[in-house]
Amino acid sequence: MTTEQVIFNNVSFRYAEDQPWVLKNVNFSIKQDEWVAILGHNGSGKSTIAKLMNGLLFPDEGEIYVHGIKVTPDTVWDVREKVGMVFQNPDNQFVGTTVRDDVAFGLENRGIDRNIMIKRIEESLLSVRMTDYLLHEPHRLSGGQKQRVAIAGVLAIQPNLIILDEATAMLDPRGRKEIMTTVNDLRRETKVNLVSITHDLNEITGADRVIVMNDGEVWLETVPRELFKQETALRQIGLDVPFTAKLANRLQTDFEFSQQPLTQKELLDQLWTFHSNK
Amino acid sequence: MASSLIIGQYVPADSVVHRLDPRTKIMMIFTFVIIVFFANNAPSYLWLTVFSLGAATLTKIKPRFLLKGLKPVWFLIVFTFLLHLFVTREGDVLTTLLGFPVYTGALIQGFQISLRFFLLILVTSLLTLTTTPIEITDAIETLLHPLKKIKFPVHELALMMSISLRFIPTLMQETEKISKAQASRGVDFKTGPLKERIQAVVPLLVPLFVSAFKRAEELAMAMEARGYRGGEGRTRLRELAIVSRDYIAFCLFFIVIAGLFVLRG
Ligand SMILES: Nc1ncnc2c1ncn2[C@@H]1O[C@H](COP(=O)(O)OP(=O)(O)O)[C@@H](O)[C@H]1O
Ligand SMILES: [Mg+2]
């Protein structure tokens, strides 16, 4: 229990009695300091999992523990102290009229002293590199910048667990890159549990572990490197591996990789060292 | 366009009036609206006019902007004047205009009422010209705080106001996007008979409402996820503080009130 930050124990969930089960018997756990990616096609139940993790929804069957606390209607506020969440739509989670007010929102809700608030806002905007935008209104920010502010808002409350629910899905390629860089930097600088939800396999390369969801069930639990080998099976559940992985898998037939390359750089390194090794 | 909307009429400038606590400004303006009706002779009107123009000058806002705020009411001011001119029958007949007799009393009264109207609009617009909407929201929240005792949802009201302020530009941008999308499908908003133009607004409003409701739902969820559980036990980043500048303003304003009651007949 001490190292397990999140435990899903036989969790089943449906939105209403007369509706199909959205999650069926889901089991997994997330350890201290781990970055876990949850992957799955649209409607596979990823957001439902995220909402269950901080008590926006409650399981119909099974139990969920977050940081040792069982998630129930009585404990939601304790759970939300420890869980920060970034949603998909950059606009619909921006509450404040300026960047500063928005980062403050979570702190104000927790009744944090104003002086501490000011310090935390400064620090968290610094770590997402948005300090220069302190007094900007949301409509003057790009999608990527708004999402970085949302991440700052989460960092400011110093959570144990940060959930990013398709935080990049509505962004352009540049915004996506901004967010992925921010997340990778965070991972390096702070020790915080990270759950990143996505349907884009390009975004899981940095994760320690991947949980693949399909139609409300855990389809596979593995590491990114292993997952990239399963190109055909993934395609059957509506997921597409990155170009690098595809190329590596094609080359596999007459080329012996020492390990499945995760990134373009790894692929290139293996390719050019291959010849010199011979 | 959107940026001028979020700040409403607010004209940024570095002036004493801008720096006054919004509560000070609201209370003074509220009092002014009442005392204007106590002016009843030339000296008292002059006194209030001097005060109003003085306050307007202190804002350091260009008269151009001040007059822009008065634009929609010019007509009313002139109309009130003319109405009094022709309807009031007091004093001596001065002259005849368009076949109507014009009395001296009418001239005086028409002038007084119009001036009163002008001063009211000028002074109240100073509030929105020198105070950001969010400051006004904060001020309303603290000023109405006592009403909490009778279960009036003060915090909720203020939050509603600030969320509206935050989403106005977003919804404006969205309206623009949808209207362009519909226009490119051949919907014509700008020409044709009124009935057709009203009908053309329907394909604009429906998607706008659908998206606004979706936004509301997602925003509520995001707020909850960020630990929002009502006004109880919340702290605030934006703080209002009454400082010496506000006390001085109150003193000066008190002299204005006292002066008015000395001067009125
Ligand atoms: N509020 C809701 N009410 C009813 N059904 C819902 C609701 N939200 C999601 N669902 C359904 O639950 C399933 C899983 O949704 P979700 O967890 O949002 O998937 P994902 O995030 O992986 O796209 C989908 O079939 C979706 O239609
Ligand atoms: Mg989702």
Side-chain angles (χ1 to χ4, degrees), chain A residues 108-111, chain B residues 148 155-156 227-235:
Chain A
E108 292 178 325
N109 290 337
R110 285 165 176 77
Chain B
K148 266 206 163 133
H155 162 76
E156 288 75 7
Y228 180 72
R229 50 198 297 195
E232 224 41 58
R234 271 187 116 229
T235 46

Side-chain angles (χ1 to χ4, degrees), chain B residues 29 65 80 96 100 110 112 124 134 161 166 187 220 249 255:
Chain B
I29 286 165
F65 286 108
T80 317
T96 45
F100 284 96
Q112 281 190 353
T124 42
I134 199 73
M161 283 172 64
R166 182 252 167 272
V187 179
I255 296 173

Side-chain angles (χ1 to χ4, degrees), chain A residues 10-80:
Chain A
N10 285 320
V11 173
S12 297
F13 178 84
R14 55 184 166 183
Y15 279 92
E17 292 272 331
D18 54 352
Q19 281 184 15
W21 291 96
V22 170
L23 294 180
K24 299 160 213 160
N25 232 336
V26 172
N27 282 293
F28 66 84
S29 60
I30 298 171
K31 288 189 197 64
Q32 181 85 47
D33 297 341
E34 213 180 9
W35 174 357
V36 173
I38 299 181
L39 191 72
H41 61 81
N42 260 337
S44 57
K46 306 182 300 291
S47 296
T48 309
I49 290 182
K51 286 170 192 163
L52 285 163
M53 274 190 209
N54 73 345
L56 290 169
L57 300 171
F58 300 99
D60 293 314
E61 282 165 28
E63 303 93 49
I64 297 166
Y65 295 88
V66 172
H67 198 68
I69 306 169
K70 184 174 171 177
V71 184
T72 66
D74 296 329
T75 60
V76 272
W77 301 109
D78 301 325
V79 170
R80 283 179 201 160

Side-chain angles (χ1 to χ4, degrees), chain A residues 51 54 56 77 80 87 89 91-94 96 101-102 104-106 108-112 114 117 139, chain B residues 6 134 162 166-167 169 215 218-219 221-222 224-229 233-239:
Chain A
K51 286 170 192 163
N54 73 345
L56 290 169
W77 301 109
R80 283 179 201 160
F87 295 87
N89 191 317
D91 257 318
N92 300 353
Q93 55 185 316
F94 205 113
D101 286 343
D102 189 64
F105 184 71
E108 292 178 325
N109 290 337
R110 285 165 176 77
I112 285 166
R114 185 164 180 272
M117 226 189 290
H139 66 267
Chain B
I6 178 121
I134 199 73
S162 77
R166 182 252 167 272
F167 274 95
R215 281 182 197 284
E218 286 186 14
L219 188 71
M221 185 154 281
E224 233 190 284
R226 297 176 68 181
Y228 180 72
R229 50 198 297 195
R234 271 187 116 229
T235 46
R236 322 174 45 108
L237 174 68
R238 291 189 311 273
E239 248 179 10

